[in-house]
Amino acid sequence: MTVLIYAQGLCETTLQNIGFTGTEHVITAITTPSAQAVTNYQRYEFLGDSVLKFTVSCQLFFQHPNWHEGYLSQGRDDIVQNPRLARAALDLGLDSFIISKQFSPRKWSAPLISEKITQVASRRTMSTKVLADIVESLIGAAYLDGGHEKAQACIHFFLPEVNMTAPANVSLTSCAVSKNDRHMINDLLEEQVGYSFRNRSLLLEALTHPSCQHDASTQSYQRLEFLGDAVLDMVIVSTIFKHAIEIPQGEMTMIKHAMVNANLLAFLCMEFAMEQESINVEQTPSGGFAIKSDKEYVELWRFMRCEGINLRTAQERAISRYHLLREEISLYLHQGNHYPWQALSQLNADKLFSDIIESVIGAIFVDSLGNLVECEMFAERIGLLPYLRRILAGGINVAHPMNIAQQMSKGNVQFSVKRIQVENGDASYQCAVTLDGHEAVVVEGCLSREEAEVKAANGAIEILMQLAATTTSEQ
């Protein structure tokens, strides 16, 4: 009853203009885990965080067409940071409505109607994180109650500077694709992407690396990648929330982390290829010539415009690792019961591969005037959403090996990573694992910090499993 009164009071006063259709979502959004109630805000906060990131990213992208990715990222961080959200909560008196204590039936008495009318909630001291979490959870509640429109109204209420202009108002009359680049942007490429662009220059921009200097009329993909990152987050999180079975917040966070992993996106980028007919002229045994038609597969990443020997070399090395690991990673994605953290870390793909996925998503979002369904269709075509559905169906462990090792050891494991410079200027990584104060695992010669940590964590897990088996057999 008290919780209901708090929620009704909040809806009838502070949140009146948002227009919640009921109190169910609001009750969940204002209840902290410390209240030990049937429900709490954690799942809604997870959703609201992505909705807020998506909305702010869209506004900054469309309002500031001349801002580069660095300015956009900084601008977003300034708006969505916890201190800014907590200040908004305090300014609107939201702290007075937060349910943070466990309900005690013995100490509760029904309030009088006169008390409900005249009672003014008092200010309380609460942490910045809790206040920020409540704002994000209310944004998530508004999204569940009325979609993006109501969520954006809620965001604008707490953050007046966020008043997103609909992408439908954005002009699509930017420069046409030059004659020199028309061979790149063709109908076959659009067919493979699964979307027909009204403004093909957006697709060209999505495939233009910052190193490309020969085209002064097209900016690099960095702005579209910034937008696409937020759009992809929204696609993944909304898909998770649509799942028939309610998933705890901690598990949802692990799933999202796994799905937006740069190495997974890079692998899918390397896999994503279009079938193209090739015509070759060959000499026959009789000395004549014959035209032979054949089919070949052209990967999406090959359309990227970039310059520089070092970049090309890095691409080639990454593709070589891809060919070595392709069968193992594919098997995990289609049949495995564990997320391939180690194999993906060994891929160690350059950021440009995952950037292409996000920049193309950003380009589709802009060209389709903010149609998330079109972005979902692209995520479907590259294999991202099918794998997400496999995870949601159950049976696939997405927990990171370092987290598993920490849980198994009850926090008695430490990781120490060193970067080791080698003679040719490259570097390798070493990771040592300490269990109960004793060095148990040392991994060397890794290409990245992530690879070293994952391999070392898996080694620690094996030791911990052996110790657990030994303890069980002795009992």
Side-chain angles (χ1 to χ4, degrees):
M1 178 65 74
T2 301
V3 175
L4 180 60
I5 291 173
Y6 269 71
Q8 286 178 336
L10 184 59
C11 290
E12 293 169 3
T13 56
T14 306
L15 303 181
Q16 183 178 11
N17 292 333
I18 296 175
F20 279 98
T21 57
T23 59
E24 179 185 358
H25 291 311
V26 176
I27 289 173
T28 297
I30 63 174
T31 304
T32 68
S34 62
Q36 298 182 31
V38 177
T39 183
N40 64 61
Y41 68 62
Q42 290 180 315
R43 295 182 74 255
Y44 285 17
E45 181 271 330
F46 171 80
L47 174 61
D49 176 76
S50 291
V51 175
L52 177 61
K53 174 184 175 182
F54 167 75
T55 303
V56 173
S57 298
C58 289
Q59 171 166 313
L60 292 175
F61 180 90
F62 293 119
Q63 281 190 349
H64 304 284
N66 296 321
W67 279 16
H68 60 67
E69 186 269 340
Y71 283 163
L72 292 172
S73 296
Q74 184 60 55
R76 182 176 65 193
D77 291 345
D78 290 343
I79 294 174
V80 305
Q81 61 181 333
N82 279 358
R84 174 69 184 92
L85 299 180
R87 187 169 70 251
L90 290 173
D91 289 345
L92 294 167
L94 188 61
D95 56 307
S96 303
F97 296 92
I98 297 174
I99 310 298
S100 60
K101 294 182 180 180
Q102 186 175 5
F103 174 66
S104 178
R106 292 183 179 180
K107 297 181 179 179
W108 182 81
S109 60
L112 300 175
I113 294 177
S114 59
E115 290 177 345
K116 180 184 176 184
I117 295 174
T118 60
Q119 188 177 30
V120 178
S122 58
R123 280 291 180 96
R124 290 181 291 165
T125 302
M126 311 199 84
S127 71
T128 297
K129 185 180 185 308
V130 168
L131 290 168
D133 285 351
I134 293 293
V135 171
E136 291 180 332
S137 66
L138 283 168
I139 294 170
Y143 176 82
L144 293 173
D145 192 58
H148 281 287
E149 184 176 351
K150 188 166 287 189
Q152 289 167 12
C154 186
I155 293 170
H156 179 63
F157 175 72
F158 287 110
L159 304 169
E161 69 269 32
V162 181
N163 189 15
M164 180 179 162
T165 302
N169 295 333
V170 178
S171 172
L172 293 177
T173 57
S174 55
C175 61
V177 178
S178 66
K179 293 182 179 180
N180 294 333
D181 293 311
R182 284 176 186 170
H183 69 283
M184 288 185 54
I185 310 302
N186 54 43
D187 293 338
L188 286 175
L189 176 57
E190 289 187 318
E191 182 180 346
Q192 177 65 8
V193 170
Y195 177 79
S196 180
F197 281 83
R198 289 177 288 178
N199 180 2
R200 284 186 169 182
S201 66
L202 283 168
L203 181 55
L204 185 67
E205 180 181 328
L207 297 170
T208 302
H209 188 268
S211 65
C212 180
Q213 301 295 324
H214 70 267
D215 183 2
S217 63
T218 304
Q219 60 185 335
S220 78
Y221 62 56
Q222 289 177 309
R223 278 176 48 83
L224 288 174
E225 182 267 328
F226 164 85
L227 178 63
D229 170 72
V231 173
L232 180 60
D233 262 20
M234 194 67 246
V235 168
I236 296 297
V237 170
S238 61
T239 302
I240 294 174
F241 257 81
K242 290 175 186 175
H243 187 57
I245 301 174
E246 188 173 292
I247 303 171
Q249 180 267 337
E251 189 175 341
M252 289 195 300
T253 300
M254 288 193 297
I255 293 173
K256 176 188 168 185
H257 176 56
M259 296 310 299
V260 300
N261 177 15
N263 280 316
L264 174 63
L265 297 180
F267 177 80
L268 296 177
C269 178
M270 295 174 184
E271 283 277 281
F272 194 52
M274 59 183 286
E275 189 179 89
Q276 187 169 288
E277 185 177 11
S278 63
I279 299 176
N280 300 309
V281 179
E282 297 181 353
Q283 189 170 13
T284 63
S286 61
F289 293 92
I291 297 176
K292 183 179 180 182
S293 178
D294 200 359
K295 292 182 178 179
E296 62 180 4
Y297 289 91
V298 182
E299 298 87 349
L300 177 63
W301 65 267
R302 293 190 184 276
F303 289 89
M304 186 180 70
R305 304 191 304 168
C306 60
E307 298 175 13
I309 296 176
N310 292 337
L311 188 61
R312 292 294 185 186
T313 301
Q315 273 185 326
E316 292 171 1
R317 289 178 178 176
I319 294 300
S320 296
R321 293 191 294 272
Y322 157 75
H323 287 302
L324 291 173
L325 295 163
R326 181 178 183 270
E327 185 176 352
E328 179 184 356
I329 295 175
S330 294
L331 189 63
Y332 268 107
L333 297 183
H334 293 98
Q335 301 178 28
N337 57 8
H338 284 76
Y339 184 86
W341 286 109
Q342 182 163 316
L344 287 173
S345 69
Q346 289 175 276
L347 181 62
N348 190 36
D350 293 82
K351 187 174 180 292
L352 60 91
F353 290 100
S354 59
D355 283 350
I356 292 175
I357 296 296
E358 294 177 335
S359 63
V360 170
I361 290 175
I364 292 173
F365 183 80
V366 174
D367 190 79
S368 66
L369 306 180
N371 190 339
L372 283 171
V373 175
E374 295 288 356
C375 300
E376 290 172 359
M377 291 174 62
F378 178 70
E380 184 78 29
R381 289 181 70 85
I382 65 175
L384 189 64
L385 289 186
Y387 185 51
L388 175 56
R389 286 195 294 271
R390 275 202 71 220
I391 292 175
L392 294 176
I396 298 179
N397 185 1
V398 298
H400 195 280
M402 291 181 70
N403 293 336
I404 295 174
Q406 289 285 359
Q407 291 173 359
M408 292 180 67
S409 68
K410 298 180 179 179
N412 293 322
V413 61
Q414 288 82 38
F415 294 85
S416 176
V417 181
K418 291 182 180 179
R419 185 176 186 273
I420 301 173
Q421 200 74 29
V422 294
E423 293 181 358
N424 63 356
D426 292 334
S428 66
Y429 290 82
Q430 175 194 84
C431 184
V433 179
T434 304
L435 288 171
D436 293 326
H438 302 286
E439 189 172 84
V441 179
V442 177
V443 172
E444 298 178 318
C446 297
L447 292 174
S448 67
R449 180 187 184 94
E450 182 184 2
E451 180 187 356
E453 289 176 335
V454 170
K455 283 185 174 179
N458 282 330
I461 291 170
E462 289 184 13
I463 293 175
L464 289 165
M465 291 177 66
Q466 292 171 2
L467 291 173
T470 302
T471 302
T472 302
S473 63
E474 291 176 352
Q475 291 177 347

